[in-house]
Amino acid sequence: QSNEKLKTSKLPKYRKDQLRKQLNSKQEIDSETLQIAFRRLDDVYIYQTFLFLEMERYDDALNACQKVLKIKPGLTEAYNLMGRASRRKGDFDGAIHFYQQVLKENPCYPKVNNNLGIALAKKGEMEKAISLYRKSIQCNDNFASPWNNLGYIALEQGKINFAIKYFQKAISINPYHPLAHSNLAEAFLRKKMIPEARTEVKKALSL
């Protein structure tokens, strides 16, 4: 039943709104919505997971992903989302476990390498985090987040010049990265570069 092709592959806006309303009110999703919303049932649970993450219902997001894995064992996207849910709820050991499951299948997955680095940094494992950020950059050197994260660790270690270099690299890749602008402002403040810091704060607040 779970692999049976359903009627449509695209979720109409009114059905999306209905699904969101039911999730917000903690109602069970009715069978009609499930049957006509997506072609495959695993897509339903993936979509539910994104909504639960948006609503900060992390345990519900994890449960939805478990349903996906019963339909498609080993699906890397499900493990990635479980890692995200676990990290957001503060379960860094859980996040590390799920991200590692993804990297077993695809060692060069920039976002997951970056996210695993964040989880390890939260546990104080900075050298491992740095290694993963560099691996993320190696896989995609046009990805701003690991540059920003390298900068944050350098800033915390008192390596201000390196931090500025990393934050500026992140911003050169993505000028609309508010956290990189905010972090760069902090680095400038530590070097008593007040006008530069003010400029970066204004940019961060405008995004």
Side-chain angles (χ1 to χ4, degrees):
Q1 180 182 1
S2 60
N3 290 321
E4 181 183 353
K5 293 293 182 76
L6 302 180
K7 291 182 180 180
T8 63
S9 59
K10 187 175 181 180
L11 184 66
K13 184 180 184 302
Y14 80 97
R15 284 294 179 183
K16 183 184 290 189
D17 293 341
Q18 181 184 35
L19 185 58
R20 186 186 299 274
K21 182 178 179 180
Q22 288 174 319
L23 288 171
N24 271 314
S25 63
K26 299 186 178 180
Q27 297 175 20
E28 291 297 320
I29 305 303
D30 64 81
S31 59
E32 181 191 3
T33 300
L34 292 179
Q35 287 296 312
I36 74 169
F38 295 91
R39 286 175 64 88
R40 300 175 66 94
L41 194 55
D42 51 292
D43 291 332
V44 174
Y45 295 131
I46 288 289
Y47 183 74
Q48 284 182 347
T49 301
F50 280 109
L51 290 182
F52 285 138
L53 287 170
E54 185 181 313
M55 292 185 282
E56 301 183 359
R57 289 169 56 180
Y58 302 127
D59 288 331
D60 289 329
L62 290 165
N63 289 336
C65 281
Q66 291 287 3
K67 293 177 182 178
V68 175
L69 291 172
K70 287 181 181 179
I71 299 169
K72 285 189 173 180
L75 184 68
T76 55
E77 179 61 16
Y79 284 119
N80 184 26
L81 291 170
M82 293 175 84
R84 190 185 306 180
S86 298
R87 181 164 61 88
R88 289 187 184 179
K89 68 180 286 192
D91 177 11
F92 301 116
D93 288 325
I96 289 166
H97 168 74
F98 293 127
Y99 288 140
Q100 287 173 336
Q101 295 303 307
V102 178
L103 295 177
K104 284 180 182 179
E105 297 297 322
N106 183 2
C108 202
Y109 194 142
K111 288 185 179 180
V112 176
N113 281 291
N114 180 67
N115 290 339
L116 177 55
I118 293 172
L120 287 165
K122 292 290 187 180
K123 289 175 62 67
E125 299 185 42
M126 296 305 180
E127 292 307 314
K128 289 182 180 179
I130 289 171
S131 177
L132 282 155
Y133 297 147
R134 293 195 182 281
K135 177 66 174 179
S136 178
I137 291 166
Q138 179 185 338
C139 295
N140 180 5
D141 64 0
N142 200 37
F143 181 26
S145 292
W147 288 106
N148 176 68
N149 293 333
L150 283 172
Y152 184 79
I153 289 179
L155 189 65
E156 292 300 296
Q157 293 175 340
K159 301 174 182 177
I160 310 301
N161 289 334
F162 280 107
I164 289 172
K165 173 185 172 183
Y166 292 138
F167 295 140
Q168 288 176 330
K169 177 64 176 180
I171 291 167
S172 73
I173 295 169
N174 179 8
Y176 305 102
H177 196 307
L179 191 56
H181 284 291
S182 176
N183 287 336
L184 181 56
E186 175 64 23
F188 281 144
L189 278 175
R190 294 192 189 188
K191 287 191 66 99
K192 310 299 183 184
M193 299 170 66
I194 306 304
E196 292 86 349
R198 284 177 179 160
T199 297
E200 294 305 318
V201 168
K202 289 179 182 178
K203 289 179 181 178
L205 292 174
S206 70
L207 298 173

